[in-house]
Structure formats: C-alpha cells, structure tokens
Amino acid sequence: MNDLTRLTAREIAAAIAAGETNAVDVAQAHLDRIAKIDGQLHAFLHVDSEGALETARRVDAGEISGPLAGVPLALKDVIVQKGVPTTVGSRILEGWRPPYDATVVERLKSAGVVILGKTNMDEFAMGSSTEHSAYGPTHNPWDLDRIPGGSGGGSSAAVASFEAPLAIGTDTGGSIRQPAAVTGTVGVKPTYGGVSRYGLVAFSSSLDQAGPCARTVMDAALLHEVIAGHDPRDSTSIPSPVPPVVEAAKQADISGMTIGVVKELSGEGYQPGVEQRFAEAVETLTGLGAKVVEVSCPHFAYALPAYYLIAPSEASSNLARFDSVRYGLRVGDDGDRSLEEVMSLTRAQGFGAEVKRRIILGTYALSSGYYDAYYGQAQKVRSLITRDFTEAFALADVLVSPAAPTVAFPLGEKLSDPLAMYRQDLATIPSNLYGGPAMSLPCGLSDGLPVGLQIMAPTMRDELLYRVGAAFEATMPAPVPPLDWEA
Amino acid sequence: MAEITRAEVAHLARLARLALDDSELDRLASQLDVILGAVAKIGEVSDAEGVTPMTHAVPLENVMRPDVVVTSLPRDDVLAGAPAAEDGRFRVPRILDDET
C-alpha cells in the first residue's frame, strides 16, 4: 500500500478487513504524519500514541470488528476520554484527566475506532478561528497564515491535512460546519439530541451537538452511524432510531427533490467569491434533477443577536461549575483567602478574554431588569426562527446556503473585533436555534481557498443531508490542499 | 437601552466570581457596549409579542429512568482530579468569615 494517510475511512476499513494492511500500520502511519507536520499545524493538544496503538492491536487481533474498525480519528478536546488530558482549550482544566468516557467515546471504542489524540479548539468552543485556544492557534493546511475555522479548527485541520481521516467536532453555533467550510472538508451537525451530550463539556446546553468531520460524505455518514443513537444518560437524547444516513449516502440521488435557497442567507457580509461558488452549486443541484425554489426566512436576520444572548446566558450558568474545588486550577489558596476570593482569582486567571466576555454578557442578559428585553425576547425570536424553518420545509425538502460567509481569513484579522468574529456564524446559527441537522461540504475554491455549501434539513431527517451531499460531491473532485509548506 | 458602564461590568464580574483587573474592566466595558448595541437589535422584532419562548429544541418532558442503584465513579478517581483533597473529601478554602 502506498500512503495509508491518503485513504478514506471506508477504504482503510476495507483494506484492513481484506488483510491488505493492518490497523497498527494504519495507526502508525498517521502518528508518523502527526509527528512530522503537527509542529507547523498545531491541530493536536495531546497525542495518545500508546492508546491508539493498543486499540489498533486489538482490532488486528480480531477482538473488535465493524465498519470503522481500525480507522484513526481525532477527538475534539471538549469530549472527555478516560485518563486522557482534556482541557477544552482552557488553562482552567490544564492537567485534568477525566475519570470516565463520554458516550461518544464509548461508542467509538466499541466500534474499534482508533483515537489518535485530542484536537485544539477555541476555549470552551467559543470562537470561529481557534485563536481563542489558551494553547495557541491552529493553522489552516491550505495556508498556514490563515485560520482553520473554529471552534473545531484542530479537528478540521487534522482531517484536511491527512493527519486523520475522521474527527469528532461539536457545533453550538457552527463549530463543525464553519471549520469544514474553510478547510474544504465535510462536517455535519446532527439533529440536536441525535448524538449524546454525556461527557461533552457543556457550553450552551440547549444548542451543543457533537458530530462527524471527514473528507467524504460517506465517511461522515459511517461515523455518524457509530456515534448517534439514544442514550439514557442524556435526558435530551431523542429516543428514536438513527436516521439511515449511510443508506442515503449510497443512494446519492436527488432527482425530484425540492431544494430551497434561503434568501436571507446572502448579500451583506458574504464575499462575492463565496456567493459565486454557491450560485454554481445551486446550478449543479438543478442539473442533478432537483427543483430549486427561493424561500424566505425573515427572522434569520435576528438569529445572530438571539444566539449571542442565549448561548452566553447558558454559558454563564454552565461555567459556574469551574469553581476551583472539584477539578482543574486553583489560584491564591494561601490559607487566608476565602473560598469566594480563591474562586474569583482562579476564574480570572483560568479563563481567557473571550470566555470572560461571554460570561459577563450572559450574566447581564439574565439579570433582573434586562431578562425580558434580552434573554426572554431572544427565546421568543428562537420560536419565530423555528417557525420560519417549518414553513420553509413545507415548500422544500432541504434548504441550502453558503456555510460560511467568507473563506479562511488571516490569523489575527478579527481577534480584536469580537463582532466581526461572531459574524462568521451568520449562516450556521439558525439550524442550532431550530435544532435541525445541517452539513457543510466543499463546493470549490475562491482565491485558492475552499468554500463550503451548507445543506439544512428538518429535525431527525439527517439522511437528507447525506443524500444531497453525496449526489453533489460526485460532481466535483475532492479539494486537496497544496501542502507546499511540508518539510 | 444598550449602554453598559464600567461600574456595571464590575458588578457583573463580582456576580460571576471573576476577579478582573482595571485594564480588563476598561476593555470589557467598551467591548460589551458594542456587542450589546448589536444584540439589542433583537428588540426590533415586532411580531414576537405573545409568542411562546423556546427554551429547547427537543420537546421532551419528565424523562424518567428506572429507580435502581448503580455504582458511581470511584471516589479516589474523582478526587485525583481535584486541586486539593483531604480525608477522602474535596478540601476547600475558608468558607466562613471570621473577621465579622
């Protein structure tokens, strides 16, 4: 076999099953590649060579089998894995080793997926560039001077640069899809409640959702089927069968489907190059036999403000658990200071600037006197955005838009302008507020950088994303970064 | 309504148990003013009146589990991740104020 790192997850699993290679060789090839290039990329916060090779050996010994047995994967550092450092990109959890596995990790392990390590992210998943990681940014494999998206920029960069064929991300406002868009990879936010949140360090509990990252639609579908399904340990987990996503990716036929172009997800804030690739993608979908209609979702214009009230409010509550008592950092405990003083010093030192901004914003939005005008109003607007989706899905099977309004921007460009950073999520946030599934997949390049096509579907109709995505993917070659920076 | 003063930020920081220094307070006050100005746009939505607030994407209520005893995480594994532990418990800084 030539370069094992260039294979898709499906090809790797097939090659192992056929005895053409083995899981240990596959794991080692990826670990070698990480050792070679991650100094330049910084996609990983922790590489677990020993654990990865141990799982690979068990697959080779025939102890575990399945459609992804022996396939390497990069795990976003927001998901706990027993005994493996989990920082959530924050100093406040530096050095902490979780005493249990997340449900997602349990499922990956029992499927024989080889977890290579933990990937970099914006601290507590708050950001769109990975620059808010306390451990330094990740670089985009297409151009090391540009951002890989965020918050899951480590996962997207690892997949795009062939460090791993698969990764797990989490998506609260676009943290799987925007990184996928700017790195030319496939990222899916499943229906909220489709994948268990047990063991996912909470940012905004009513929005957080873990999902697959891959280089092909089929690989994303295979990973989706492994991690999805009801979990009694997550009370918001949906007790229904997993949508037939792999079957849909095989089907890849959209003739007769109606596809809605969302009028409000274009225009101001969207780069002309992005809009052009998107318009071409819509033409391609028409050529594949879909009927394309324009739909209007008037309240999407308020999705960004609604999100930046709801998510920080939930975060300000969720992050109260970092109290310097049960895990992580403790600062200033000199025997004299009170618990409250130690807690306040710890949180001030352990949290970065963006996390503090959002905690204060959320505390403000929830405080008496402002609650109705901000948090309460945002929840009403969330209902109206959901109504817009419901009405649009009466006219179209799926909706489409650009996944991110711009291509990858230079590192540092938006760091001092929080609002400009927040606008990266213009197109992705509506699906989080509504709860429905959405995918970003590559639809060409603009100025040599990837552009993402977003597909949105009704709740628990995740298979529609894969059906449309696989049909579209078949019309264009997979984007491969030039990787001319490789030593 | 979207105006936030430095004193207000200091109050919020105290509520949120964040010991921010002066330069952080200055920076946050001006940034939050801009962010609040942008999110205040939410008030423009005129057809929100009477709409039921949406708290969650999944309309599930009273999710029950069987009332059976299961083992919890091993105590020592959990305490191993704590910043300080003593006699099988989390050790916390002083919680009572002995000055007043």
Side-chain angles (χ1 to χ4, degrees):
Chain A
M1 280 248 132
N2 288 336
D3 191 349
L4 294 169
T5 63
R6 292 280 170 152
L7 301 179
T8 65
R10 185 163 68 154
E11 289 164 348
I12 289 172
I16 293 172
E20 292 161 20
T21 184
N22 60 70
V24 168
D25 284 353
V26 171
Q28 195 57 56
H30 287 87
L31 291 168
D32 289 348
R33 180 151 179 83
I34 293 167
K36 183 179 166 215
I37 66 168
D38 208 55
Q40 284 166 283
L41 272 186
H42 195 226
F44 283 85
L45 291 176
H46 179 83
V47 179
D48 182 22
S49 308
E50 227 171 275
L53 290 169
E54 173 57 30
T55 307
R57 276 192 287 269
R58 293 185 54 207
V59 170
D60 287 340
E63 289 172 37
I64 327 170
S65 61
L68 288 180
V71 178
L73 172 140
L75 184 65
K76 188 178 180 184
D77 204 27
V78 68
I79 293 174
V80 303
Q81 182 183 353
K82 189 176 178 179
V84 177
T86 299
T87 68
V88 203
S90 182
R91 290 283 173 208
I92 210 154
L93 274 181
E94 193 169 10
W96 180 62
R97 290 174 187 259
Y100 69 104
D101 277 333
T103 297
V104 165
V105 171
E106 258 180 17
R107 292 189 180 182
L108 292 171
K109 283 182 174 175
S110 51
V113 173
V114 173
I115 303 175
L116 298 169
K118 310 296 293 288
T119 56
N120 198 12
M121 55 184 287
D122 285 293
E123 185 177 3
F124 285 99
M126 298 176 186
S128 307
S129 70
T130 323
E131 291 168 294
H132 292 307
S133 167
Y135 304 94
T138 297
H139 301 263
N140 191 319
W142 287 80
D143 178 349
L144 294 183
D145 295 328
R146 290 176 188 266
I147 60 105
S151 65
S155 285
S156 67
V159 169
S161 65
F162 304 95
E163 288 183 326
L166 298 174
I168 296 289
T170 58
D171 192 312
T172 304
S175 287
I176 289 175
R177 291 164 287 158
Q178 182 258 7
V182 301
T183 58
T185 54
V186 179
V188 177
K189 179 198 93 71
T191 295
Y192 178 88
V195 176
S196 171
R197 287 186 300 109
Y198 181 75
L200 190 167
V201 180
F203 157 20
S204 181
S205 304
S206 81
L207 303 167
D208 297 340
Q209 183 58 214
C213 311
R215 288 192 295 266
T216 71
V217 171
M218 176 55 82
D219 280 3
L222 290 166
L223 181 54
H224 191 135
E225 277 203 350
V226 165
I227 60 174
H230 182 244
D231 177 14
R233 288 178 297 189
D234 173 1
S235 64
T236 59
S237 172
I238 296 174
S240 313
V242 178
V245 292
V246 172
E247 201 46 50
K250 282 182 193 156
Q251 187 189 1
D253 175 17
I254 61 167
S255 52
M257 277 181 86
T258 305
I259 293 177
V261 175
V262 183
K263 196 173 80 178
E264 285 77 10
L265 299 180
S266 65
E268 201 195 328
Y270 292 81
Q271 279 176 349
V274 168
E275 297 220 84
Q276 200 183 331
R277 291 291 94 80
F278 174 67
E280 290 161 11
V282 171
E283 268 179 46
T284 301
L285 293 169
T286 310
L288 289 167
K291 182 183 164 203
V292 174
V293 297
E294 188 183 77
V295 297
S296 177
C297 297
H299 299 93
F300 281 18
Y302 300 95
L304 201 67
Y307 176 85
Y308 277 97
L309 289 164
I310 292 169
S313 295
E314 293 187 10
S316 72
S317 167
N318 268 325
L319 270 57
R321 67 169 54 83
F322 299 98
D323 56 6
S324 78
V325 172
R326 290 165 293 169
Y327 22 64
L329 195 68
R330 179 180 289 183
V331 174
D333 184 12
D334 57 3
D336 192 37
R337 287 199 180 93
S338 70
L339 173 65
E340 196 176 317
E341 287 168 320
V342 171
M343 200 182 290
S344 302
L345 287 169
T346 302
R347 289 163 60 82
Q349 193 167 313
F351 292 138
E354 180 64 21
V355 174
K356 289 176 193 170
R357 253 193 307 273
R358 297 211 197 180
I359 289 175
I360 299 280
L361 180 59
T363 307
Y364 179 82
L366 290 176
S367 51
S368 65
Y370 300 110
Y371 184 95
D372 289 341
Y374 287 112
Y375 185 65
Q377 176 79 355
Q379 287 187 316
K380 288 180 184 172
V381 171
R382 189 174 179 183
S383 291
L384 293 169
I385 287 166
T386 297
R387 190 191 290 170
D388 283 357
F389 266 112
T390 310
E391 288 174 4
F393 286 131
L395 305 171
D397 298 304
V398 296
L399 307 178
V400 291
S401 76
T406 71
V407 294
F409 51 87
L411 286 159
E413 188 183 88
K414 301 186 196 300
L415 207 46
S416 57
D417 185 351
L419 274 181
M421 189 76 87
Y422 297 171
R423 283 192 207 103
Q424 277 293 303
D425 298 334
L426 270 179
T428 44
I429 279 174
S431 290
N432 296 92
L433 292 172
Y434 157 58
M439 168 189 283
S440 174
L441 79 163
C443 67
L445 305 179
S446 169
D447 296 326
L449 295 166
V451 176
L453 167 67
Q454 177 174 234
I455 308 165
M456 296 165 273
T459 48
M460 286 312 273
R461 295 303 307 278
D462 304 45
E463 76 280 8
L464 293 175
L465 308 175
Y466 290 93
R467 198 171 139 195
V468 178
F472 181 80
E473 184 185 54
T475 67
M476 59 168 59
V480 177
L483 302 171
D484 45 10
W485 44 268
E486 260 191 66
Chain B
M1 70 184 163
E3 264 187 27
I4 189 158
T5 62
R6 192 180 183 283
E8 251 181 305
V9 174
H11 175 65
L12 292 166
R14 201 181 57 77
L15 292 177
R17 303 291 183 268
L18 288 168
L20 302 182
D21 61 32
D22 284 349
S23 69
E24 274 181 303
L25 283 176
D26 288 336
R27 199 167 54 243
L28 268 172
S30 65
Q31 284 172 340
L32 284 170
D33 214 39
V34 174
I35 295 169
L36 280 172
V39 296
K41 199 180 160 203
I42 199 90
E44 290 171 13
V45 182
S46 54
D47 52 349
E49 207 169 320
V51 171
T52 309
M54 180 172 166
T55 54
H56 220 271
V58 181
L60 294 172
E61 278 177 23
N62 299 335
V63 178
M64 303 292 191
R65 63 163 173 78
D67 186 18
V68 290
V69 177
V70 292
T71 44
S72 54
L73 291 170
R75 187 185 67 187
D76 291 344
D77 290 3
V78 174
L79 289 176
E86 201 175 295
D87 299 334
R89 301 178 179 91
F90 295 112
R91 193 183 66 75
V92 299
R94 177 171 62 79
I95 54 169
L96 296 174
D97 194 347
D98 53 11
E99 285 161 35
T100 52

